[in-house]
Amino acid sequence: MTEPLTEKLQHLRTEAKHALDKAADQDSLEPWRVKYLGRKGQLARLIKDISQLDAPARKSAGQLANTIKQELTQAFTARAAVFRDHHSAPATALSGASLPPASSVGHLHPITLSIRRIQHIFARMGFIVAEGPLVEDPAYNFDLLNIPLHHPARAETDTFHTASGSVLRTHTSPVQLRAVLAMNLTPPFSVISPGRVFRSESTDASHEHTFHQLEAFMVGERVTVADFKGVVKKYFSDFFEQNVTTRLRPSYFPFVEPGFEVDMSCIICQQAGCSVCGRTGWLEMMGAGMVHPNVLKNMNIDHTRWQGFAFGGGIDRLAMLRHHIDDVRLFMSGRLDFLNQFS
Amino acid sequence: MKISYNWLQELLPDLNSAPKDIAELLTLHSFETEVAGRLAVNPKVQVRKIIKLEPHPNADRLQLATITNGLEKITVVCGAPNIKIGQLVPYSPPGTALFDETGQDFTIKETTIRGVTSPGMLNSLRELGLHPEHAGIWILPDDLPLGTSLADHFPADTILKAEITPNRAHDCLSHLGIAREIAALLALEVKPPPLAELPQPSSSINGISLGDINIPRYMAVGFTNLVAKPSPLCLQAYLLASGAKPHNQLVDITNYVMYEIGDPTHLFDDQTLPGQILGVRPATDGEKITALDNEVYQLTRDDLVITIDDKAVAIAGIKGGAATGINPSTTSGLLESANFPPHAIQQTAGRLNLSTEASYRFARGLDPNLIDISTRRVAYLLLTSGAKITGVMDYYPKPSRRPVIKFDPNQVSQFAGLNIAPDQVKDILIRLRCQVDDTAHLWAVTGPDDRLDLNIPPDLIEEVLRVIGLDKIPSRTPNITAASRPLSDRVQWRELTRDLLAAAGFTETYNYSFSHQPSLDLVGQTLDKSIAIEITNPISPEQKYLRQSLLPGIYGHLLANKSKLGKRARSVEQAIFEIGRIFTRGDEGIVEGIVEIEHVAGISWGEEGQAHIKGTVDDILDQFSISRTDLSRFGQVGLLDTDTRLAQKLNTPVAFFELDFDRLINSAERDPDYQLTTGGPGLKYQASSKYPPVYRDLSIIVSPQVTIEQIQGLIEDTGKDLIADVDLFDEYQHQGQTSYAFHLKYQSPHRTLTDQDIEKIHHKIISVLTKELNAQIR
Ligand SMILES: [Zn+2]
C-alpha cells in the first residue's frame, strides 16, 4: 500500500465535500451518495481495508472512518434538505440512502441513535434527562400517578410482577415522580426520560413485551396546552426533518386531565393515505395531557400555583418510522444484518 | 361500542350529519369513532311461511321444508333443527348473495342435496350477514306480510364503532349517551325514550337480603302476561346493529334497554324462582352455577351471586342462571337491576374468562340513578307488549348526588393558552347538562348524575376545551433556553463508552432484561437464585428471573448470527456489546429490596479476539482515567471455555469482557465530555433477502499495479444484484506479483440461486478478471 489508509480517508473527505458543494440540484445528489456513501462506494471500500491493519492503526483509522461517515452523511442530509425546501418535493431523497455494511467499524443500536436524537432535540428546548429504575415500586408505577389498585386502567395493564411485590415498569411516567422527589426538582422545570419499559403481552410485528418510551414533563406557572402543542410539533418536525402537523384528540389517562391522544401527519405518504397510516393520513404517536392535580400533590407541588403537561410515547415507533423498519421485534433480535445497517 | 345510525336518528330527530361526519365529530371531540360498515338485508330475501316439514328421504339430519309466499309453495332442503310448521322464515331464491362463515359473500344456486333438488334456502342470521349466529334458521315475527321482501321491514343501517374511554364508560356505553354527546356538540335536542310510571313499592315482592355487601341500589319489578315470542323486526334490527343476537321479546327488551340506556337489567322466569327473598352474597368456594350459556361455572368466595332465598340464581352483574332464565313458556317474570361493586365484577369476569356486555358496564361503574330509568324503560316496553306489573321493590337507602365543583371559569383560558369568555364556558357546561350557579366569583357547577367523571375543576376544563375543539388551541413554542447541562454524568459516560466501542469495531445489541436459561447454559453460567428477582408471570418458564449478567444474552445473539458469519478468516470475525442493567435482591437500590446495576459487556470472536478485548478494555479504563492495573475491581476479561465453544461448533476463540459500569462511573478520575449528537442519518432499513446466500472463494494473482478497488469493482459490476458481498481475506506478495483471496457472497433478493446460477456467474466474473486485469486464477 503506497499511501497510509488514514491519508486516503482524509483525501476522500476533502474530495467528497468538494463534490457535494458543487452538486447543483436534487438529481446530482444520488450519484454523489452512491459514489461516496453507497454500500459499494469509496468510503465502504476504504473501511474494508481497515480490517487489514494491525490493532493500534486499526483503531485510529476506524475512529476516523466513523467520523467521516457521520460528517458526510450529515452534510448530505443538509444538502438534500436545501433542495427539498426549494422544490417542496416529498422527502424521498433519503429513502434510498444506505451506508456501508459490516466492517471493522461497529454500529450503534437504532434505539440508542433515536434516543440521542431525542436528547439533542429536547436539550435545546431546555429539558434535562432523567432516568429511573426498571423494577418499580407499584406506588410509583401506579398509585402516585393516580392509578389506584381497583382502577380499570390498572387492571387492564399487562404488568410483569415480581415475587417481592414490585413490578417491571409499564411506562416511563414513574420517572416524573422519581425526578422531582429524588432530584429535588422545584418548578419551573422540564424533564424527559427515555428508557426501557415492559408489558406482559405476546409479541408480533407490532408488539414487543420489552420496548422503549419517552416521557416528557414540563411544569411552570403558565405552562399551557398551547405550549404542549408547540413542543410536540417541534419534537416531531426535528426528529423527522420535515414540517409535520399534529392533531390532538380527547383521550383518558388517569395521571392527566385533560388527556389527549396525539396524532402526527403521516410522514410516509404526506397524508395522501398509505398502509402505514391505515389510509387516514394520521399516525397515532402518543398519549399526553395536563398533569393531574393529584399527581402534582404527590410530588409536593402546589397545584394551585403550578401547572404543566406530560406526554409519553414509544421510541421504537419513532425509529421504525424514521428507518422504515416494519417489525418491532428486530430491535431485540440481535440480528447483525439489521444492526449493522445503523451508525 | 357499536352504534346504530338509525337509532341515533330516532333519538336526535334534527340530526342532519352523515355517519362519517358523526364519526369525525366524535373522534375530534369525544372518543375515537369510525364507520364500521352497513347492516342491511339483501332485497332478494323473502318472508315465507313453513307449511309442511318432512324428513329428507336420504339424510337423517336434513328436512324438506315446504314454504309459501301465500300464493305458491316450494320445497327446500334445510339442515337446521329449530324450524316448526307455522313459523315465518327468511328464504333466499337462487341468485341471492349470502355470506359464508368467513364473512365472504357467495351466490346460491339451485342445488341437489342427496337426491333432492332445493330451489334456494332458508337462512340463518350469519348467511344474511347480520350476526355470527349460525345455530339455526332466523325465526321472524308472526306479523310480517307473506311473500314480501324482508328488506322492506328491516331498515338498512350504518354501524359506527366508538372506543369509549374509561372515563366515559359511565355515560356513553349507550345510544342515549352517544346521542346526548352529539346533542351537546351540535346544540341539538334529544328526544327522551318514554318511561313507565311505576306503582309505589309494594309488599308483593318480599324484601331483600344484602348482608354487608355494598349495593347502593337494588330495584325489582314483577310482571305477568308475558309472551316469549320474536320481537318486532325494528327492535331486532337495533339489537343486531349493536352486535347482539335476538332471542325473544322478553330477553330482547332487557338487552335493548341496556344498549339504549347503558344500564344492564335481568329478567328471571318467576315460576322457576326457588323462593321469595332477593339477595346478593359471596359465593362459597367451589359453588357451581349453570349460566344461560349452559356452561357450568365454579365460583369462589370472591365472586358475588344473586340469590332467591339464599339459592344462587345468577352470577351478579355478569350472567343469569340457566335454571331461572326466560324460556318459551314464560308467562311471569321478575326484573331486577342493581349496582354491583365494579372491582368485584371485573375480578370475577376476568377469573371466569366471562366478559359480557353487562360485566363490561358494571366493571366500569354506573350511576345508581340510572337503575330507575332502565327499569322504567323496560317496564314501558313490556307494558306496551301487553304485560302487567305485579309489584315493585326499590332499595335505595342513600341516594347518590354528584359533587358541587367550585370552578373559576378563567382557569379554562389559563390552562389552554387561548382566551375563552365565561359566557361561552357556561353555555358549554349547560349543553353538557351541568347545573351552573354563576352568581359568585367561583361558580358552583354540578355535573349530571351519569357523569361520574366530573369531580374537580380540570374535569370541567377538559369538557369545555374538547367541545370548543382542541384544534382551536394555538401552537406556541415555549419561551425557554437550552439546558445548560441536560445530561447526567451517567448518561454522558454511557454515550462516550458506546462511541468508544463502536469505533473499536463492536456492534451494539439489546437483550431482554430476563435471564434466559438456555443462554446461561451456553456460557456455563448459573444464576444465583438466592439473590435473583423472580417474575411471577414470566413470558416463559425459562425467563422467570431477571438477568445477573449481560454475557449470556450477547453470546446468544452471536450464536443466532452464526450461520451468516464464520465464512471469513479475519483476525476478528465479529464483535458485539451491550450496556444494560442487571438485577439482584438487596438493600442498596432505589426501590426497596431491588438492586439494579448497569454493566457493559462485549465479546469478540476471532483469532485475535483476545487481544481485541484486552485493548478495548484498556481503552475503556483509560477513558475514565482509571489505572489499567485496577481492572479486577470492575469485572473480568476472559476466553470462553473451549469445550463450551466447540459444543456450539465455533472453531475460533471467543473472548469477552463484562464490567460494572456503575463502579466505573463512580471511580472516574475525570469529567465526561460527551457532546449531544443528532443520532446519525435517517437511512432506510433494507430487509435482508429471504433467500439463502451461497459462498464461493476466489483467489487471483495480479500485477502490483492492480488495486483491490479495481478488483472489487469488477466483481461487483459483473455480479450485479447477485453479489451480496465481496470480502478480502488474504493478500500476499509472491515473485513480484500480488495474490488476493476473496470470499464472494452470492444471494438473490428474488429467488433461491441454483448451483447452475452460481457456476454461470462465477465463471463470468473469472473471465472478466482474466480479460480486464490479466489476472491468473489460482
Ligand atoms: Zn400514510
Side-chain angles (χ1 to χ4, degrees):
Chain A
M1 305 218 177
T2 50
E3 189 182 22
L5 201 50
T6 49
E7 276 178 38
K8 282 192 191 173
L9 283 166
Q10 297 287 12
H11 282 157
L12 178 68
R13 163 150 67 181
T14 315
E15 181 194 318
K17 284 186 172 175
H18 191 61
L20 186 64
D21 286 342
K22 287 202 298 192
D25 52 27
Q26 180 88 28
D27 292 342
S28 51
L29 281 181
E30 185 59 15
W32 181 92
R33 190 195 63 74
V34 171
K35 183 174 177 188
Y36 294 104
L37 287 177
R39 203 174 68 81
K40 295 169 183 179
Q42 294 195 8
L43 185 59
R45 297 238 169 98
L46 292 182
I47 284 172
K48 286 190 178 196
D49 295 343
I50 294 175
S51 60
Q52 311 305 319
L53 302 176
D54 55 353
R58 194 164 63 214
K59 189 188 157 207
S60 61
Q63 273 173 339
L64 179 64
N66 221 14
T67 308
I68 292 175
K69 188 163 73 177
Q70 282 180 12
E71 278 180 18
L72 293 184
T73 309
Q74 279 174 12
F76 172 76
T77 309
R79 196 79 181 143
V82 168
F83 291 131
R84 194 167 59 240
D85 289 350
H86 286 171
H87 298 286
S88 69
T92 52
L94 286 179
S95 63
S98 68
L99 286 176
S103 67
S104 69
V105 177
H107 303 265
L108 293 181
H109 195 283
I111 298 291
T112 292
L113 297 168
S114 295
I115 291 175
R116 285 184 170 190
R117 195 165 179 77
I118 288 166
Q119 287 168 345
H120 187 256
I121 293 166
F122 279 93
R124 289 195 297 180
M125 288 195 278
F127 286 74
I128 61 167
V129 177
E131 297 186 310
L134 303 184
V135 183
E136 258 298 0
D137 183 338
Y140 280 80
N141 197 73
F142 295 119
D143 304 74
L144 295 170
L145 290 168
N146 206 32
I147 317 172
L149 188 58
H150 290 181
H151 199 288
R154 179 157 170 178
E156 284 161 20
T157 308
D158 302 311
T159 311
F160 285 113
H161 298 271
T162 79
S164 62
S166 315
V167 297
L168 302 195
R169 68 179 184 188
T170 58
H171 47 186
T172 39
S173 309
V175 185
Q176 288 179 15
L177 296 145
R178 296 267 173 213
V180 175
L181 296 175
M183 294 164 72
N184 276 323
L185 287 182
T186 51
F189 56 74
S190 310
V191 185
I192 60 164
S193 176
R196 177 176 285 207
V197 297
F198 307 85
R199 298 275 168 91
S200 167
E201 61 181 15
S202 48
T203 58
D204 61 30
S206 46
H207 295 90
E208 246 290 2
H209 56 70
T210 300
F211 55 103
H212 305 82
Q213 258 195 359
L214 175 72
E215 178 82 8
F217 187 50
M218 181 173 185
V219 173
E221 266 174 320
R222 313 228 66 163
V223 175
T224 64
V225 181
D227 295 319
F228 166 69
K229 279 189 157 185
V231 167
V232 166
K233 187 177 165 58
K234 180 146 181 57
Y235 168 32
F236 290 143
S237 294
D238 284 2
F239 192 91
F240 292 107
E241 294 170 84
Q242 53 182 289
N243 194 14
V244 303
T245 316
T246 56
R247 173 177 93 165
L248 302 188
R249 287 183 284 110
S251 192
Y252 172 74
F253 308 98
F255 34 96
V256 289
E257 186 70 40
F260 316 118
E261 197 77 50
V262 183
D263 293 343
M264 176 181 76
S265 53
C266 181
I267 55 155
I268 306 291
C269 65
Q270 310 300 320
Q271 295 201 291
C274 69
S275 61
V276 175
C277 59
R279 278 160 239 299
T280 63
W282 294 101
L283 298 167
E284 282 186 29
M285 298 305 290
M286 58 188 191
M290 299 298 283
V291 184
H292 196 286
N294 291 353
V295 176
L296 288 174
K297 276 184 228 168
N298 292 337
M299 296 172 176
N300 303 320
I301 293 173
D302 177 2
H303 70 93
T304 60
R305 182 174 167 204
W306 304 99
Q307 64 186 41
F309 65 76
F311 67 76
I315 295 173
D316 306 57
R317 182 156 168 74
L318 289 184
M320 288 171 80
L321 286 168
R322 183 160 191 250
H323 300 297
H324 296 235
I325 297 164
D326 59 2
D327 190 335
V328 69
R329 293 169 296 191
L330 284 167
F331 292 124
M332 304 298 289
S333 71
R335 270 176 48 181
L336 290 166
D337 61 335
F338 170 73
L339 296 171
N340 286 346
Q341 294 189 27
F342 302 93
S343 56
Chain B
M1 139 147 181
K2 287 185 172 174
I3 305 164
S4 153
Y5 180 69
N6 289 350
W7 204 340
L8 288 182
Q9 283 189 309
E10 190 177 314
L11 291 163
L12 295 164
D14 298 327
L15 183 67
N16 289 320
S17 315
K20 72 168 177 40
D21 298 328
I22 303 255
E24 188 175 342
L25 179 83
L26 290 174
T27 296
L28 292 179
H29 296 272
S30 311
F31 25 72
E32 215 172 330
T33 307
E34 60 178 13
V35 176
R38 296 267 295 161
L39 190 79
V41 176
N42 188 323
K44 287 184 178 161
V45 179
Q46 297 167 19
V47 179
R48 296 262 172 142
K49 184 176 201 163
I50 301 175
I51 53 173
K52 193 162 115 191
L53 283 175
E54 51 199 326
H56 189 293
N58 308 320
D60 289 346
R61 287 164 58 192
L62 299 177
Q63 297 187 86
L64 304 182
T66 303
I67 54 175
T68 180
N69 61 358
L71 299 169
E72 52 172 22
K73 46 189 187 178
I74 51 170
T75 299
V76 295
V77 178
C78 183
N82 70 320
I83 47 175
K84 294 186 180 68
I85 292 170
Q87 286 173 335
L88 299 196
V89 288
Y91 158 70
S92 299
T96 310
L98 297 171
F99 296 87
D100 69 11
E101 65 274 21
T102 62
Q104 296 296 307
D105 52 344
F106 67 98
T107 302
I108 65 156
K109 302 185 192 79
E110 181 167 291
T111 45
T112 300
I113 303 165
R114 300 264 184 131
V116 178
T117 301
S118 185
M121 67 193 293
L122 311 186
N123 301 120
S124 68
L125 286 166
R126 188 189 83 195
E127 285 158 354
L128 297 176
L130 300 176
H131 189 273
E133 172 67 21
H134 190 55
I137 301 302
W138 183 22
I139 310 302
L140 302 171
D142 291 341
D143 54 356
L144 295 182
L146 276 189
T148 53
S149 168
L150 182 57
D152 293 346
H153 319 289
F154 190 101
D157 202 350
T158 303
I159 311 302
L160 297 128
K161 200 161 165 258
E163 298 289 334
I164 310 293
T165 45
N167 57 327
R168 302 304 302 277
H170 322 298
D171 75 305
C172 275
L173 284 172
S174 66
H175 281 79
L176 182 60
I178 302 281
R180 283 175 172 150
E181 184 70 10
I182 295 168
L185 296 173
L186 299 178
L188 299 175
E189 290 290 324
V190 175
K191 183 177 141 197
L195 309 177
E197 287 303 324
L198 296 181
Q200 285 300 307
S202 60
S203 56
S204 57
I205 294 177
N206 281 340
I208 183 150
S209 152
L210 295 176
D212 54 1
I213 296 166
N214 178 25
I215 306 287
R217 187 174 200 179
Y218 209 123
M219 267 185 98
V221 182
F223 292 93
T224 58
N225 285 22
L226 300 179
V227 186
K229 64 176 186 181
S231 301
L233 264 198
C234 56
L235 192 149
Q236 293 199 37
Y238 283 160
L239 287 182
L240 290 165
S242 304
K245 180 181 76 168
H247 295 270
N248 56 64
Q249 66 169 1
L250 305 181
V251 175
D252 290 354
I253 283 171
T254 60
N255 284 336
Y256 173 87
V257 170
M258 176 177 68
Y259 291 115
E260 185 182 49
I261 310 291
D263 191 41
T265 60
H266 183 71
L267 190 61
F268 293 106
D269 176 0
D270 206 25
Q271 272 132 10
T272 60
L273 290 179
Q276 285 285 301
I277 309 284
L278 259 175
V280 180
R281 64 161 167 83
T284 52
D285 283 334
E287 185 170 2
K288 286 182 183 146
I289 183 165
T290 306
L292 279 168
D293 55 7
N294 286 319
E295 297 280 332
V296 179
Y297 293 93
Q298 185 163 334
L299 307 176
T300 72
R301 74 185 89 171
D302 295 328
D303 304 321
L304 296 178
V305 288
I306 294 173
T307 57
I308 299 284
D309 284 3
D310 211 42
K311 296 183 190 69
V313 291
I315 309 170
I318 301 180
K319 218 172 188 61
T324 54
I326 300 297
N327 56 72
S329 54
T330 298
T331 56
S332 61
L334 181 70
L335 178 75
E336 64 94 25
S337 182
N339 259 122
F340 299 107
H343 187 63
I345 303 301
Q346 167 110 30
Q347 296 275 308
T348 299
R351 206 178 49 71
L352 298 178
N353 196 14
L354 182 64
S355 180
T356 61
E357 291 284 331
S359 73
Y360 187 76
R361 287 168 173 78
F362 283 124
R364 279 156 184 76
L366 292 166
D367 169 47
N369 296 308
L370 269 183
I371 290 175
D372 174 63
I373 297 171
S374 60
T375 304
R376 288 166 60 198
R377 181 65 176 149
V378 172
Y380 176 88
L381 294 168
L382 287 175
L383 295 179
T384 309
S385 78
K388 290 192 162 45
I389 293 176
T390 56
V392 173
M393 182 204 72
D394 188 0
Y395 167 83
Y396 195 18
K398 194 166 157 261
S400 152
R401 296 275 170 268
R402 298 306 303 146
V404 177
I405 305 168
K406 295 288 178 194
F407 184 55
D408 174 2
N410 296 310
Q411 244 192 312
V412 179
S413 306
Q414 284 163 21
F415 248 61
L418 165 73
N419 270 330
I420 300 156
D423 279 355
Q424 198 182 357
V425 171
K426 184 178 173 186
D427 172 59
I428 289 170
L429 292 176
I430 287 171
R431 267 155 60 187
L432 290 164
R433 299 178 292 136
C434 293
Q435 290 170 23
V436 180
D437 176 353
D438 62 351
T439 47
H441 165 68
L442 276 183
W443 294 1
V445 180
T446 313
D449 283 342
D450 51 359
R451 289 299 302 270
L452 303 185
D453 60 318
L454 301 184
N455 298 298
I456 55 172
D459 298 331
L460 299 178
I461 293 172
E462 171 167 66
E463 293 305 293
V464 175
L465 292 181
R466 69 181 183 82
V467 170
I468 288 178
L470 296 171
D471 58 323
K472 300 288 188 299
I473 301 171
S475 173
R476 183 175 78 187
T477 309
N479 185 18
I480 43 180
T481 47
S484 60
R485 197 174 168 282
L487 302 182
S488 65
D489 279 5
R490 169 183 297 278
V491 174
Q492 292 196 50
W493 281 124
R494 188 187 300 135
E495 299 310 324
L496 287 169
T497 306
R498 280 176 166 146
D499 279 340
L500 182 153
L501 286 163
F506 287 79
T507 289
E508 185 178 26
T509 181
Y510 283 14
N511 278 283
Y512 293 127
S513 300
F514 308 109
S515 170
H516 183 232
Q517 190 57 47
S519 302
L520 285 169
D521 297 341
L522 285 180
V523 292
Q525 274 194 12
T526 49
L527 197 78
D528 184 349
K529 294 210 173 119
S530 69
I531 52 166
I533 312 253
E534 186 182 345
I535 303 292
T536 55
N537 56 335
I539 286 290
S540 75
E542 291 165 338
Q543 301 180 73
K544 73 170 185 172
Y545 297 103
L546 294 185
R547 62 182 175 179
Q548 294 176 353
S549 163
L550 304 185
L551 274 181
I554 299 177
Y555 185 60
H557 275 172
L558 175 75
L559 289 179
N561 288 283
K562 194 176 61 170
S563 66
K564 301 186 193 88
L565 304 170
K567 310 296 177 187
R568 309 165 179 182
R570 278 180 173 169
S571 51
V572 173
E573 300 275 359
Q574 183 68 48
I576 51 183
F577 81 98
E578 180 175 11
I579 300 182
R581 295 195 203 161
I582 61 129
F583 307 83
T584 54
R585 291 215 298 265
D587 297 326
E588 311 88 72
I590 297 173
V591 173
E592 196 185 333
I594 311 281
V595 178
E596 298 186 19
I597 301 171
E598 194 158 358
H599 273 201
V600 53
I603 58 179
S604 181
W605 179 39
E607 293 301 338
E608 284 184 19
Q610 203 173 356
H612 186 210
I613 289 289
K614 186 74 182 63
T616 304
V617 168
D618 283 346
D619 290 347
I620 293 173
L621 294 173
D622 289 354
Q623 174 187 250
F624 288 93
S625 293
I626 294 169
S627 164
R628 292 178 180 188
T629 55
D630 284 351
L631 171 64
S632 58
R633 281 181 53 217
F634 300 97
Q636 54 169 343
V637 172
L639 265 181
L640 194 70
D641 173 67
T642 310
D643 292 343
T644 310
R645 162 167 67 82
L646 289 175
Q648 306 305 323
K649 300 198 171 58
L650 290 182
N651 297 323
T652 35
V654 177
F656 68 83
F657 74 91
E658 179 156 8
L659 306 177
D660 182 331
F661 197 67
D662 282 0
R663 189 170 284 181
L664 286 171
I665 294 169
N666 294 333
S667 310
E669 293 289 334
R670 55 179 276 255
D671 292 327
D673 53 356
Y674 172 72
Q675 300 296 316
L676 287 160
T677 77
T678 55
L683 53 90
K684 186 177 165 188
Y685 163 61
Q686 310 280 345
S688 61
S689 173
K690 313 192 270 290
Y691 303 100
V694 178
Y695 296 89
R696 287 291 162 89
D697 285 355
L698 177 68
S699 300
I700 59 171
I701 298 166
V702 290
S703 76
Q705 283 77 38
V706 175
T707 64
I708 299 171
E709 285 84 356
Q710 271 179 296
I711 304 167
Q712 286 184 331
L714 276 174
I715 293 172
E716 284 163 359
D717 293 347
T718 312
K720 300 211 173 62
D721 66 344
L722 298 185
I723 281 280
D725 203 9
V726 181
D727 200 28
L728 178 71
F729 71 90
D730 195 19
E731 175 186 354
Y732 66 91
Q733 309 294 323
H734 180 67
Q735 297 176 346
Q737 298 275 84
T738 311
S739 169
Y740 293 107
F742 296 94
H743 286 299
L744 305 189
K745 180 182 175 186
Y746 290 102
Q747 189 173 34
S748 162
H750 312 297
R751 61 197 170 90
T752 301
L753 294 176
T754 63
D755 282 350
Q756 262 182 325
D757 295 328
I758 308 284
E759 281 309 310
K760 201 171 142 197
I761 189 69
H762 198 69
H763 273 112
K764 194 170 167 197
I765 288 171
I766 287 171
S767 72
V768 168
L769 292 175
T770 315
K771 205 165 107 192
E772 303 276 325
L773 303 177
N774 203 15
Q776 282 174 263
I777 309 302
R778 284 169 58 221

